Amino acid sequence: MLLIKNGRVMDPKTGFDQVCDVLVKDKKIVQIAKNIDADASRVVDATGMVVAPGLIDIHVHFREPGQTHKEDIHTGALSAAAGGFTRVVMMANTNPTISTVETLKEVLASAEREAIHIHSVATITENFDGQHLTDFEGLLKAGAAGFSDDGIPLTSSRVVREALEKAKQLGTFISLHEEDPELNGILGLNEEIARKHFHICGATGVAEYSMVARDVMIAYATKAPVHIQHLSKEESVKVVEFAQQLGAQVTAEVAPQHFSKTENLLLTQGSNAKMNPPLRLESDRLAVIEGLKSGVISIIATDHAPHHRDEKNVADITQAPSGMTGLETSLSLGLTYLVQAGHLTLMELLEKMTMNPAKLYQFDAGYLAENGPADLTIFSPEQARTVAPNFASKASNSPFVGEELVGQVYYTICDGKIVYEVD
């Protein structure tokens, strides 16, 4: 048994928020109450800390198979645990892509060996060809959590409609990476700073929000659920809100980097601040925050995208890959730029990092209750920390290295076992 004493226990599902104890046994929470007296094998003193459901990230890249010099499932799991996450959903843009039952089973077998819960989507189209749907039914039976061609937009509206209709028929959904390649220049650099500072054509806003508009309206027409990944533009938030008001089954996520920083970070952090979608304008940053406040955007997801140092450390920033490692800074960025800044309450932040992602994927997770799953994170919400470059991830490509944030994870508990604790 594991006994957690004197923590501020917060459950976004019920709104429970009290200082009390939590007793854990055999992968379950057996009691939540004041002053629990039990003969536990381990007692954790959580005085002054928050005891919350284990965080859930529905958008991570663990690079296995094929790109394990950047990250693998084991180091990705360690990174997740260090960030307070007990459950993640991997994207399928591996090499080979997760387009077949065989590849999916290999990935899930590797994931099964880890100390946290790891799921994977499969691709929408075969090897990202953008034209031919994968075997949705077979992949679901083999354990696919959902479907996404994340990293590559679906340029064919016919394919989007067919995928939505197929997913609806099978009781699942698709997640979409939205950018029209015919409207874009160099990815990873927002159009304004690309033009003014780098003197090139960058990633345009219209490439994102025009495709969002197309796909949410196809979802409206087919009455099928769709999830829009990593919104970054003010207009995209408004388009999603419009579709939701029409009655479309549209959900959306935002990455912490997009509610924390703007394109100007490229001037000080270089290629580590190059990501796709790119950091945008201050008006866009404030708009995605408003989307979180209103509920138009219901989920925070990192888009954890590790790269090897040598890949990022190139003379020409246009040649560097886009993406940043994000699992170990996500909670702190939310606490710093949303809670401390007065935009969200702590409970609202937790809702978007636990309960809402669990609800989207129908996971039995994201809440704290007696007889519920013993997946928890224990953290100090106000403790200052300077982001160090020594991540549990294989990668350290974060533009937040050296920045002082608030929030320190002390323990991550999955299936009743401590899978991460601060030394």
Side-chain angles (χ1 to χ4, degrees):
M1 288 193 294
L2 171 66
L3 179 58
I4 303 164
K5 298 285 292 183
N6 304 315
R8 180 185 175 187
V9 179
M10 300 184 69
D11 174 39
K13 188 173 182 179
T14 61
F16 183 90
D17 184 357
Q18 292 184 28
V19 174
C20 56
D21 301 345
V22 179
L23 183 63
V24 168
K25 182 181 180 183
D26 297 334
K27 300 184 180 182
K28 295 288 186 181
I29 294 172
V30 294
Q31 190 178 7
I32 301 174
K34 300 275 188 181
N35 302 316
I36 297 174
D37 185 16
D39 186 18
S41 55
R42 177 80 186 266
V43 178
V44 170
D45 182 6
T47 302
M49 300 184 203
V50 170
V51 180
L55 306 181
I56 300 170
D57 191 342
I58 62 166
H59 192 150
V60 302
H61 300 271
F62 283 175
R63 309 300 193 193
E64 185 180 328
Q67 298 175 317
T68 53
H69 64 288
K70 301 172 187 277
E71 189 82 287
D72 57 43
I73 289 174
H74 179 62
T75 56
L78 294 176
S79 182
F85 293 89
T86 56
R87 191 176 298 264
V88 298
V89 179
M90 299 185 296
M91 294 296 105
N93 60 336
T94 50
N95 185 21
T97 59
I98 304 173
S99 298
T100 66
V101 168
E102 180 183 19
T103 304
L104 175 65
K105 285 183 174 179
E106 289 175 1
V107 166
L108 293 180
S110 180
E112 188 66 27
R113 294 192 286 269
E114 300 304 325
I116 66 166
H117 305 289
I118 301 177
H119 308 266
S120 180
V121 300
T123 64
I124 296 171
T125 64
E126 295 177 3
N127 300 314
F128 281 6
D129 71 3
Q131 292 297 317
H132 304 94
L133 297 185
T134 54
D135 176 12
F136 278 26
E137 191 165 13
L139 288 161
L140 285 172
K141 287 179 180 177
F147 299 89
S148 177
D149 277 9
D150 179 63
I152 301 291
L154 287 175
T155 57
S156 169
S157 53
R158 171 188 59 81
V159 171
V160 171
R161 184 187 65 199
E162 289 176 357
L164 284 167
E165 290 173 342
K166 188 67 174 178
K168 179 186 176 185
Q169 175 189 334
L170 295 172
T172 186
F173 65 97
I174 64 172
S175 300
L176 295 175
H177 173 117
E178 303 286 44
E179 56 177 355
D180 187 336
E182 295 191 353
L183 296 174
N184 257 342
I186 300 295
L187 300 181
L189 308 171
N190 188 45
E191 56 189 315
E192 278 83 0
I193 199 167
R195 182 179 66 254
K196 294 174 184 176
H197 185 81
F198 298 102
H199 310 297
I200 57 174
C201 177
T204 68
V206 67
E208 176 178 300
Y209 57 74
S210 65
M211 194 166 266
V212 172
R214 181 198 71 174
D215 291 345
V216 297
M217 296 313 295
I218 296 173
Y220 171 71
T222 56
K223 297 182 171 56
V226 69
H227 180 69
I228 307 299
Q229 297 175 298
H230 45 50
L231 289 187
S232 68
K233 285 296 296 178
E234 178 180 7
E235 293 89 345
S236 299
V237 180
K238 292 178 179 178
V239 168
V240 169
E241 181 178 24
F242 172 74
Q244 290 172 343
Q245 289 172 346
L246 281 179
Q249 297 179 61
V250 179
T251 53
E253 69 187 43
V254 65
Q257 49 270 29
H258 290 114
F259 63 64
S260 300
K261 296 292 182 178
T262 70
E263 62 177 8
N264 291 331
L265 196 62
L266 282 159
L267 301 180
T268 57
Q269 298 301 315
S271 62
N272 280 339
K274 184 187 180 190
M275 57 198 68
N276 190 27
L279 298 173
R280 304 285 193 179
L281 305 176
E282 178 66 4
S283 56
D284 297 311
R285 189 185 78 86
L286 294 175
V288 296
I289 290 174
E290 286 302 313
L292 286 166
K293 291 167 69 173
S294 68
V296 169
I297 302 172
S298 57
I299 292 169
I300 293 169
T302 64
D303 192 11
H304 176 78
H307 291 290
H308 192 276
R309 182 180 293 105
D310 292 346
E311 294 171 318
K312 280 285 194 179
N313 189 24
V314 292
D316 182 357
I317 194 172
T318 66
Q319 299 303 306
S322 294
M324 58 164 277
T325 180
L327 283 162
E328 294 168 66
T329 52
S330 179
L331 179 60
S332 288
L333 290 171
L335 291 167
T336 303
Y337 289 101
L338 296 177
V339 177
Q340 192 178 70
H343 298 299
L344 296 182
T345 66
L346 179 53
M347 190 70 87
E348 288 168 338
L349 175 67
L350 291 174
E351 178 184 82
K352 290 163 175 58
M353 298 184 74
T354 61
M355 184 183 77
N356 288 353
K359 182 180 178 182
L360 179 66
Y361 276 95
Q362 299 182 329
F363 295 144
D364 182 25
Y367 65 97
L368 298 180
E370 293 180 354
N371 203 39
D375 295 344
L376 308 95
T377 185
I378 302 173
F379 63 93
S380 170
E382 297 175 354
Q383 181 173 325
R385 59 177 286 232
T386 300
V387 179
N390 52 327
F391 293 100
S393 168
K394 277 186 183 180
S396 57
N397 57 307
S398 168
F400 298 101
V401 170
E403 183 168 347
E404 185 171 289
L405 304 173
V406 297
Q408 175 65 56
V409 175
Y410 277 87
Y411 299 91
T412 304
I413 299 163
C414 189
D415 281 341
K417 297 178 181 178
I418 296 174
V419 297
Y420 171 82
E421 59 182 305
V422 169
D423 295 332

